[in-house]
Amino acid sequence: MKHLLSIEDLSREEIDSILDTAVSMQDVQHRDVKKLPTLRGRTIINFFFEDSTRTRSSFELAGKWMSADTINLSGKGSSLSKGESLRDTVLTVDAMGVDLIVIRHPASGAPKQVAEWVNCSIVNAGDGTHEHPSQALLDAYTLRREFGDLQGRHVAIVGDLTHSRVLRSNLLCLRKLGARITLVAPPTLMPSGIASWSERDGFATSHDLDAVLPTVDVVMMLRVQRERMAGGYFPTAREYAVTYGLSPRRLDLLPDHAVITHPGPMNRGLEISADAADAVRSRILDQVSAGVAVRMSILYHLLAGEGSAT
Ligand code: CP
């Protein structure tokens, strides 16, 4: 594996291998001394052209805990603001001899394009509305810890599907792991062409959240991405919360064993109520915790290669 650009590029075996390695990486989080020698001498640049709390800090921790040298760059603080092109910027960083660039960019496909320009490894940390593969892997890790094998488990993915790169990566990843998926959204927030897509890829769609909730093992709530919405996708925030939000009333519709996930950041009171976010069955902070272990595993697979000691 040279790059992590899309879940589409990963086989079932590669996904299992990343998740298995993450299990041993998670032990490091609970040690007094959080340090492995695995990536000593390796250099990683986190290059974020969009804001991030979880992804950027967990990739930075993942690199540091494996003894890599890590540097953070943002679009605003780089020479891009002086007119330098993305190509010249990443060629400049590559020429310094870095081993891996973690990149988040608002344009779908930007990490793939960058991977064609440079010699180092590239990790897609979220590109436009296309993919967020490390998020899907950490979600799968969290659910695998909960349920073991995900074969036949029913996952409802709910909310702003049109603008969600998390949806696309999770759909691909969970299908590869054998989960059954239902997408739930208002008609205005269902991606166009979803009918032919769902037929081909074997998942269901619904506009009726109340009908789906009693049948799920997992309800994955997605953020309403107001920053990507130019027009009115729903009449009011209140109407969205009433129709598609995971409200206290809807918590009672879930089976006893079902869990709640959300990739964050959350809009409390819009797609998810505080009662749901903080419920005993919420796995939202477990996802954050898994994010470091899974990203350690991703860096290990890209930079340390098979057979290196953890
Ligand atoms: N889930 C996620 O990508 O969060 P951040 O934007 O905080 O990285």
Side-chain angles (χ1 to χ4, degrees), residues 51-56 104 132 135 263-265:
D51 293 341
S52 167
T53 298
R54 281 147 281 265
T55 312
R56 181 165 48 192
R104 171 171 287 188
H132 192 349
Q135 178 69 46

Side-chain angles (χ1 to χ4, degrees), residues 34 60 91 196 210 217 266 272 274 276 279:
K34 297 174 178 58
E60 186 176 358
L91 285 176
S196 57
D210 286 358
D217 299 294
M266 294 181 276
I272 189 164

Side-chain angles (χ1 to χ4, degrees), residues 48 50-51 58 63 65 78 83 97 99 102 115-116 126 135-137 152 160 197 204 207 234 279 282 285 294 306 310:
F48 278 61
E50 280 185 353
D51 293 341
S58 59
W65 287 358
S78 74
D99 297 292
V102 178
E116 286 165 14
Q135 178 69 46
L137 290 166
D160 179 1
W197 195 22
H207 302 309
F234 44 84
S282 166
L285 290 179
V294 168
E306 297 294 331
T310 57

Side-chain angles (χ1 to χ4, degrees), residues 24-56:
S24 50
M25 296 300 183
Q26 189 139 42
D27 289 345
V28 178
Q29 267 172 302
H30 306 297
R31 291 185 194 168
D32 288 341
V33 179
K34 297 174 178 58
K35 205 58 130 182
L36 298 174
T38 320
L39 298 184
R40 194 160 44 206
R42 300 294 204 147
T43 306
I44 296 167
I45 296 210
N46 293 316
F47 208 162
F48 278 61
F49 297 84
E50 280 185 353
D51 293 341
S52 167
T53 298
R54 281 147 281 265
T55 312
R56 181 165 48 192

